[in-house]
Amino acid sequence: MRCMCRNCGTYMVQADDGKLGCICPECFSRCRDCLGTDSVMSREELKRMKEDPALAAMFMAVRGDPEEE
C-alpha cells in the first residue's frame, strides 16, 4: 500500500517492521490510512470481543445457526 504523508505530502511506502502501516521517508511520520479506518485491533482486543455475549449474539444472528441446516 502507498499513501501521501499528512505532514509533508511525500509519497509514503509500507513499513518493513513490526508495525502495520506506512512510514514517510522524509519526516518519518507513520499512518495506517491505507489499512482502512486507522483502527487496527490487537489480538487481545479481538479475544475480548470473542468473549462478549452481545457481540456473539449479533454474529450468530447475521451468520445463522449451523444446527438448523
Side-chain angles (χ1 to χ4, degrees):
M1 297 282 184
R2 294 176 183 248
C3 53
M4 188 178 296
C5 179
R6 292 181 189 175
N7 294 327
C8 67
T10 302
Y11 202 50
M12 298 171 70
V13 296
Q14 189 169 356
D16 290 328
D17 57 17
K19 294 182 181 178
L20 295 176
C22 293
I23 186 165
C24 178
E26 293 295 319
C27 69
F28 303 105
S29 175
R30 290 181 166 267
C31 81
R32 294 185 286 191
D33 293 347
C34 56
L35 297 176
T37 62
D38 197 24
S39 60
V40 175
M41 299 177 79
S42 70
R43 289 178 185 232
E44 291 77 24
E45 290 172 310
L46 290 172
K47 285 179 186 176
R48 281 194 301 268
M49 286 180 68
K50 180 181 174 184
E51 296 166 359
D52 184 341
L55 287 174
M58 250 181 6
F59 174 75
M60 291 309 291
V62 171
R63 184 173 171 254
D65 189 354
E67 293 179 7
E68 290 180 359
E69 295 177 1

